[in-house]
Amino acid sequence: MVRFRQTIDSEVAVDRSPYKEPFEEFDRWYADARQKEPRDANAMALATATRHGTPSVRMVLLKGADERGFVFYTNFESRKADELLATSRAALCFHWKSLGRQVRVEGATERATDAEADAYFSSRPRDSQIGAWASDQSRLLESREELERRVADVSARYGNGAVPRPPHWAGFRVVPVAIEFWHERPFRLHDRIVYRRAGEGWRKERLFP
């Protein structure tokens, strides 16, 4: 589960906060976003690239965050999975417009455990579970009617029984090497504080806006 604090002081500047690592800082900002962002505080842009450097980006949902990294789930036959399996590198960006904040993450990727994927898949709405079987994500689709037929077929296959996790559906964890906290300020003189991995710890720096 995504961890977050119940009580926060959202006005404490990042570089004046007592934290020596970025994860407690992320907890504080994420808790604020969950309370105040109108929709989908866990939405994040996921940037990947091919082996040749051709980039692509899309929105996904954060489903777990702790000291190990940031977790999301997807079809492992999709374009993003193909690129992540080829390069093992990704970047994330959370943008909480109503708060004037962003968090940017850069790092390596690894596969989430099967136990994590099973636990999350079992918590999804049944229709979403069926959709994971019905959709050949990122592949060509003849028509909307074809997708609806496939959904109906999967629904009939499992009836009222449990829907298992597809073997091609699992999770990735982005293991950060850098996490930047961006806070909007007047006249574009924004605050930018970045934590960079330094051996077993983290180095905290301020950047020009």
Side-chain angles (χ1 to χ4, degrees), residues 124-140:
R124 302 183 86 203
R126 184 178 181 83
D127 287 348
S128 296
Q129 294 176 336
I130 289 170
W133 281 98
S135 175
D136 291 336
Q137 193 173 107
S138 301
R139 304 299 190 270
L140 292 177

Side-chain angles (χ1 to χ4, degrees), residues 147-161:
L147 177 61
E148 292 172 352
R149 282 196 300 272
R150 295 183 67 158
V151 168
D153 289 345
V154 175
S155 298
R157 184 192 317 162
Y158 291 108
N160 294 322

